[in-house]
Amino acid sequence: MEVTMSSPLCCSSTAYAAFARQVGVIESTEGLLRASILLSLHHNEPQRPNDTCIKDVERTLGGYAKLISSRVRGSQPQAMLAHLHQYLFDDLGYNGNNDDYYCPANSYLPEVIDTKRGLPISLALVYKVVGERLGMKVRGVGLPGHFINAVTTDSGTMLVDCFAAGRVLSVQECRKRVESIFADSVDWSEQMLQP
């Protein structure tokens, strides 16, 4: 798919051009990851080339997956999932930034990886990339007012809230969350749990 984009209005032209190259592959996890990294560079001209920043993030997330994989002794998906949660949320401390939710750095993937704090969607992307590199099927779920992951295993679908340090949610808990945010203005439907 050919995408034509005009000149940037408020970001570096190199970050803009690199981002434009990802638009055609944005549906892939790698395209989404790269576009997200480049989006973080829109505000300032990077201190290092865009491709170096992308490689640094990809190397970090790939390193997470490699370390997690080395910890798993068997082939059970549940073991891989348990080690993924242990490493990302317990060992590294990934969690939502409740103290400064609206800080722009919570959206910028390189900063999220440095601080281990972010928004629901940026944390969900870290989880998705690492999970998929471990062979898992991870999809993003945009609930009204919140973003979580759905992990599909042989035993069903698990809903993971990366903003809450990897807390596994039930469908009822998702419903209560949406209702607590929107009261009567949004009617709950399990369709909201679709990727």
Side-chain angles (χ1 to χ4, degrees):
M1 173 172 86
E2 179 86 21
V3 176
T4 305
M5 298 177 76
S6 59
S7 298
L9 299 176
C10 61
C11 67
S12 78
S13 58
T14 54
Y16 183 86
F19 181 85
R21 288 192 296 275
Q22 298 306 316
V23 172
V25 294
I26 199 82
E27 295 295 322
S28 72
T29 300
E30 294 305 315
L32 180 62
L33 174 64
R34 291 183 189 120
S36 179
I37 296 164
L38 292 163
L39 184 65
S40 71
L41 303 176
H42 82 88
H43 192 269
N44 298 311
E45 187 69 38
Q47 300 299 315
R48 53 194 171 174
N50 296 328
D51 59 337
T52 301
C53 188
I54 290 171
K55 288 177 185 172
D56 288 347
V57 170
E58 288 178 334
R59 186 175 17 255
T60 297
L61 298 179
Y64 291 174
K66 187 179 286 189
L67 190 140
I68 293 164
S69 182
S70 74
R71 291 180 174 185
V72 179
R73 301 287 178 241
S75 60
Q76 300 86 1
Q78 295 83 359
M80 190 70 75
L81 197 53
H83 282 280
L84 170 64
H85 280 237
Q86 171 72 40
Y87 187 65
L88 288 183
F89 303 117
D90 295 336
D91 296 354
L92 295 177
Y94 275 95
N95 203 346
N97 190 345
N98 284 307
D99 297 330
D100 195 6
Y101 187 89
Y102 294 102
C103 175
N106 292 330
S107 298
Y108 300 156
L109 206 55
E111 285 81 0
V112 169
I113 289 171
D114 286 345
T115 65
K116 312 298 185 272
R117 296 289 177 271
L119 294 176
I121 197 165
S122 56
L123 296 167
L125 181 57
V126 169
Y127 185 93
K128 177 178 176 55
V129 170
V130 177
E132 286 186 356
R133 289 184 181 189
L134 293 168
M136 298 176 190
K137 183 176 180 181
V138 182
R139 303 176 332 254
V141 176
L143 289 174
H146 199 52
F147 201 90
I148 61 174
N149 286 107
V151 182
T152 304
T153 66
D154 292 341
S155 57
T157 299
M158 186 173 78
L159 302 169
V160 179
D161 187 350
C162 296
F163 192 78
R167 184 164 179 259
V168 177
L169 303 173
S170 68
V171 172
Q172 281 305 101
E173 288 172 312
C174 291
R175 179 181 182 159
K176 285 180 184 177
R177 170 128 189 151
V178 169
E179 289 173 347
S180 73
I181 295 170
F182 294 99
D184 296 328
S185 63
V186 172
D187 291 328
W188 170 258
S189 166
E190 287 196 21
Q191 288 297 109
M192 293 176 181
L193 296 173
Q194 294 302 308

